[in-house]
Amino acid sequence: MPELPEVETVRRGLERQVTGFPIARVEVLRARAIAAPPDPTGFRAALEGCTVQTWRRRGKYLMATLQRDGEDAGHWGVHLRMTGQFLWLNDGGEPCRHTRVRFWNPEGQELRFVDTRSFGEMWWVPPGQPLETVITGLKRLGPEPFATSFSAAYLQAKLAGSSRPIKSALLDQALVAGVGNIYADESLFLSGIAPQTPSGRLNRQQLERLHRALVEVLTISIGVGGTTFSDFRDLTGTNGNYGNAAWVYRRGGEPCRQCGTPIRRDKLGGRSSHWCPSCQA
């Protein structure tokens, strides 16, 4: 599933390409891609005639402000889920069988939403209505990793007394928004913490290292366009490059880039965890 760097890469691409985009026509090819309104016809009617304004990201959610005739027209929300991706097309062409929603401007340029697994969702939030009342997943999100409210002190307070493995805690979107398997593994490696360590046993110094590592890893990954191991692409179809420099993720059995010890791949809470038993002792 795309994580914060991948979603931020998509947001930046949408910001560059689709800000000011007048939506002349919308075609919904798969009804389940539209979460609200429940009838795709209502979604289409709400967006056609609107101009896309600013894009922002919250965790793994994307949201655009909309205007119609200079007036507030609500918000357009998107969650890519596992395999959703946007493609920008100047000359259109026949859609592939995984195309779910299509958006055209008056010149015929197209923003196309393609989703192999069909878990991606879109919402229209009416003007004046709080986003979280329609996109209800927003209610459960913790702070952004780059926010001042996310700190070692915050982690210490939230994790106090917890026996939950720190890797599992980092995947909890209520603790920190946007972090998933890739960057949890990478930040734990850089901070020298084994993924199965009970969260409540981490001291302030370890949490300081973990906080710094997480911010560093996410910053680097955003800078190289995220990570592509299977499906993720940006608006131009370009792969993310972070995977080539990953310290441990998907490197099970390969030598640690730091000490040479074979990287282990274990199951933890139903998810694969990659770690170095020497560097993360």
Side-chain angles (χ1 to χ4, degrees):
M1 180 182 288
E3 301 179 30
L4 187 154
E6 290 76 54
V7 179
E8 177 62 20
T9 297
V10 173
R11 188 203 68 78
R12 293 182 182 190
L14 291 167
E15 189 75 35
R16 287 192 301 270
Q17 197 72 56
V18 191
T19 298
F21 181 82
I23 304 174
R25 185 161 69 93
V26 178
E27 182 181 15
V28 179
L29 299 178
R30 192 175 182 89
R32 65 181 286 181
I34 308 304
D39 180 1
T41 302
F43 177 84
R44 191 172 70 243
L47 269 70
E48 288 181 346
C50 290
T51 299
V52 179
Q53 302 299 304
T54 57
W55 285 92
R56 69 184 183 93
R57 178 194 56 75
R58 179 73 173 99
K60 301 176 187 180
Y61 291 86
L62 292 164
M63 292 148 290
T65 54
L66 302 171
Q67 282 190 356
R68 179 182 281 108
D69 300 326
E71 300 291 330
D72 178 13
H75 289 82
W76 168 20
V78 182
H79 199 303
L80 304 175
R81 301 299 177 193
M82 294 181 71
T83 58
Q85 58 180 295
F86 280 108
L87 294 175
W88 173 261
L89 301 162
N90 282 308
D91 51 5
E94 286 299 310
C96 73
R97 64 190 181 93
H98 301 303
T99 301
R100 307 308 180 201
V101 191
R102 306 175 75 184
F103 306 84
W104 289 271
N105 66 11
E107 287 72 45
Q109 294 171 308
E110 180 187 349
L111 182 67
R112 184 178 296 180
F113 185 68
V114 179
D115 188 7
T116 305
R117 298 288 295 276
S118 296
F119 294 141
E121 293 182 292
M122 294 187 182
W123 299 261
W124 175 64
V125 182
Q129 191 163 340
L131 290 171
E132 61 273 12
T133 62
V134 176
I135 310 173
T136 55
L138 293 172
K139 297 177 183 178
R140 299 187 291 272
L141 297 182
E144 293 285 318
F146 302 114
T148 55
S149 56
F150 181 69
S151 63
Y154 165 84
L155 287 171
Q156 191 170 37
K158 287 291 185 179
L159 300 176
S162 174
S163 59
R164 183 167 55 162
I166 184 58
K167 168 68 182 290
S168 300
L170 290 176
L171 299 183
D172 183 354
Q173 299 300 292
L175 179 73
V176 55
V179 178
N181 221 28
I182 299 170
Y183 304 108
D185 279 355
E186 294 290 285
S187 59
L188 286 169
F189 173 80
L190 287 179
S191 56
I193 299 169
Q196 66 273 21
T197 306
S199 302
R201 292 187 187 174
L202 296 174
N203 60 38
R204 183 59 173 266
Q205 185 178 30
Q206 289 173 304
L207 292 172
E208 292 279 3
R209 293 203 308 267
L210 178 57
H211 175 262
R212 286 195 302 269
L214 186 56
V215 171
E216 177 185 339
V217 165
L218 293 172
T219 300
I220 291 171
S221 187
I222 290 170
V224 296
T227 301
T228 297
F229 284 111
S230 56
D231 297 286
F232 173 71
R233 306 287 187 277
D234 67 11
L235 264 68
T236 64
T238 303
N239 290 354
N241 291 315
Y242 181 82
N244 297 326
W247 289 98
V248 291
Y249 187 75
R250 284 211 176 174
R251 297 192 62 244
E254 297 181 33
C256 174
R257 299 186 191 277
Q258 192 159 271
C259 72
T261 302
I263 298 299
R264 286 187 54 174
R265 177 182 178 273
D266 298 326
K267 283 286 186 180
L268 190 63
R271 305 292 296 277
S272 294
S273 289
H274 305 80
W275 63 294
C276 174
S278 178
C279 294
Q280 296 169 260

